[in-house]
Amino acid sequence: MDNLTHSIIGFGAGELIHRSLPREVEDRAQQVRHRLLLVACALASNFPDLDLVLNNLLPPPLGYLLHHRGHTHTALLAIPQALLLAALIWLLWPSARTLLKASTTARWGLAASIALGFALHLAMDFTNSYGVHPWYPFDGRWVYGDMVFIIEPLFWVAIGVPMALIMRWRAARWLGLAGLLAALVAFAVKGYLGWIALAILLKVAVLCGAVQTRSGRDSRAGVALGLAIGIGFIAVQGVASHLGRAQITAALQQVDPASKVLDVVMTAFPSQPLCWAYVSVESNEAAGTYRLRRGIASLAPQWVAPLSCSAGLVEHGPSMALAPGVAQFGMEQVDLGRLRTLSVDNCRVNAWLRFGRAPAFDSEGGALSDYRFAMTPRGNFTTMPLASPEPCPTGVPGWGYPRADLLHGAAK
């Protein structure tokens, strides 16, 4: 997820923990604990993304691909990170240190806030199609939620509105609410968010805000409701992703029964469970090829046609209908033997394949890239030239190969 979403979720979780604990004896201590738990949970919810400083350990693009969402995004190494964050808070925040010395409740609250913040970061990163491998070194396989868009405004609204309403200063409250509204309208104007989805989000904002206002500024009801709505939304997206994958798989098998569908990467549209971008991976061992497709699918084409999904996220150009709710925009046919040969003979390709979920060669065959990001506005950041004279990279992390099924075939 983007760091704004990580922060909002972290602030909301920290607020809920604070309001669930008994009050401190003194008002001043209560205020310090409030700030401490919010800041600690928000920092913990962003801390793993400091792995960006490791990018230079490998040549581009391998540094980013293999170290972002790398070691810092594992459950095992979350423990020393949590201890480091707690130590920094202790050393750099005198009033928090004084409180922690005196209050057992504050110490438990800090531990819970940091632990929950790290868990939320890994869980939220899991929900999208980029993936994580949280159980390394015990299991290096990537896992993909394929459920939530990397920038999801529902979390901003459901959690951000009650958080804004409980701010002490009126100007801060109105500034926070105005900022949220402006961000939503900007998303809709740019075509990233449908107008119906915007209307639903505004209703969610009113609901969460009303609950928080009626229950009082000292209540946890609004924040708890916002977090519950977020969890419910993820559950709905998970079901929708499963249904969409089944719909796309059926369409692909109907179009080409000779190919085996290995994977369908599902990328959600913001706040729209009916619309999905997909990238499929199909293999044909007999022909010695595999095929990649990308397109848009709608779970309810009678209500929302695939090409009527949010305009800012729908690819422009010729399309082909594979089924009533499935449209295809692009397709690549790839030599399976070449991929397998390069995975053995080219150490840089072998390292790259520890990330690539949909490996594709460019039209000249001189570069390798992940088809998931073929339409990224600033260009495909995964592209790696094959003719580079660079030596074999050292210190390559031992992540599993997402496409081990292609590389090893029936021997997998």
Side-chain angles (χ1 to χ4, degrees), residues 26 31 40 117-118 145 235 333 369 373 381:
E26 299 178 355
Q31 293 173 4
F118 276 97
Q333 192 93 359
S369 62
F373 309 104
F381 63 91

Side-chain angles (χ1 to χ4, degrees), residues 171-224:
R173 292 199 295 271
W174 285 110
L175 183 62
L177 293 173
L180 283 172
L181 178 60
L184 292 178
V185 172
F187 257 53
V189 170
K190 289 180 176 294
Y192 301 140
L193 185 66
W195 292 104
I196 295 177
L198 173 62
I200 294 173
L201 289 177
L202 292 177
K203 290 182 179 180
V204 171
V206 171
L207 173 63
C208 294
V211 169
Q212 185 61 55
T213 300
R214 290 182 180 180
S215 60
R217 291 187 64 250
D218 293 330
S219 171
R220 62 185 178 183
V223 177

Side-chain angles (χ1 to χ4, degrees), residues 1-2 6 48-52 55 63-74 121-134 142-145 148 150 355 372 399:
M1 302 298 292
D2 67 289
H6 279 309
D49 282 340
L50 292 177
D51 59 9
L52 293 175
N55 286 358
Y64 181 84
L65 301 183
L66 297 178
H67 283 304
H68 179 50
R69 298 205 185 182
H71 292 94
T72 61
H73 287 66
T74 62
H121 187 104
L122 297 184
M124 295 309 299
D125 278 358
F126 160 73
T127 62
N128 54 57
S129 59
Y130 194 101
V132 288
H133 32 72
W142 289 82
V143 291
Y144 309 95
V148 178
I150 195 168
F355 170 84
R372 284 180 291 175
W399 318 141

Side-chain angles (χ1 to χ4, degrees), residues 12-345:
E15 185 74 40
L16 188 61
I17 291 173
H18 170 71
R19 289 170 182 256
S20 300
L21 294 173
R23 287 185 61 86
E24 301 294 329
V25 176
E26 299 178 355
D27 289 343
R28 170 63 178 165
Q30 180 74 359
Q31 293 173 4
V32 172
R33 192 187 79 187
H34 186 200
R35 291 193 295 269
L36 171 63
L37 300 194
L38 262 67
V39 171
C41 198
L43 287 176
S45 194
N46 284 279
F47 209 83
D49 282 340
L50 292 177
D51 59 9
L52 293 175
V53 303
L54 303 176
N55 286 358
N56 291 332
L57 295 179
L58 291 170
L62 295 177
Y64 181 84
L65 301 183
L66 297 178
H67 283 304
H68 179 50
R69 298 205 185 182
H71 292 94
T72 61
H73 287 66
T74 62
L76 182 62
L77 289 184
I79 298 172
Q81 290 180 88
L83 294 175
L84 174 60
L85 177 56
L88 291 173
I89 290 173
W90 178 272
L91 293 172
L92 302 177
W93 196 339
S95 59
R97 182 168 63 245
T98 300
L99 171 66
L100 292 170
K101 288 179 179 178
S103 172
T104 301
T105 301
R107 291 195 292 272
W108 279 110
L110 177 63
S113 296
I114 291 178
L116 184 57
F118 276 97
L120 285 170
H121 187 104
L122 297 184
M124 295 309 299
D125 278 358
F126 160 73
T127 62
N128 54 57
S129 59
Y130 194 101
V132 288
H133 32 72
W135 311 122
Y136 183 84
F138 310 107
D139 186 345
R141 287 177 294 179
W142 289 82
V143 291
Y144 309 95
D146 287 6
M147 293 183 287
V148 178
F149 192 63
I150 195 168
I151 301 175
E152 178 46 67
L154 179 125
F155 299 115
W156 305 354
V157 168
I159 302 170
V161 168
M163 288 295 295
L165 291 174
I166 61 180
M167 290 182 179
R168 185 183 308 176
W169 298 283
R170 179 178 297 180
R173 292 199 295 271
W174 285 110
L175 183 62
L177 293 173
L180 283 172
L181 178 60
L184 292 178
V185 172
F187 257 53
V189 170
K190 289 180 176 294
Y192 301 140
L193 185 66
W195 292 104
I196 295 177
L198 173 62
I200 294 173
L201 289 177
L202 292 177
K203 290 182 179 180
V204 171
V206 171
L207 173 63
C208 294
V211 169
Q212 185 61 55
T213 300
R214 290 182 180 180
S215 60
R217 291 187 64 250
D218 293 330
S219 171
R220 62 185 178 183
V223 177
L225 175 61
L227 289 168
I229 288 175
I231 294 172
F233 174 74
I234 293 173
V236 169
Q237 290 289 107
V239 172
S241 176
H242 175 77
L243 295 175
R245 180 178 286 108
Q247 175 190 21
I248 295 164
T249 299
L252 297 176
Q253 291 174 336
Q254 183 71 25
V255 171
D256 183 8
S259 293
K260 178 181 180 181
V261 179
L262 299 179
D263 194 7
V264 178
V265 180
M266 301 292 288
T267 300
F269 277 52
S271 304
Q272 174 51 288
L274 297 180
C275 290
W276 296 82
Y278 72 88
V279 167
S280 64
V281 183
E282 311 158 61
S283 71
N284 189 328
E285 286 283 346
T289 62
Y290 68 95
R291 183 186 296 115
L292 305 169
R293 304 179 197 255
R294 68 173 185 271
I296 301 291
S298 170
L299 270 62
Q302 67 275 24
W303 297 340
V304 182
L307 301 185
S308 298
C309 293
S310 303
L313 296 173
V314 174
E315 184 177 340
H316 301 290
S319 64
M320 179 177 67
L322 302 182
V326 182
Q328 175 184 301
F329 284 100
M331 183 180 73
E332 298 285 343
Q333 192 93 359
V334 187
D335 185 335
L336 183 54
R338 185 185 183 207
L339 181 72
R340 289 175 175 171
T341 299
L342 284 173
S343 72
V344 175
D345 297 342

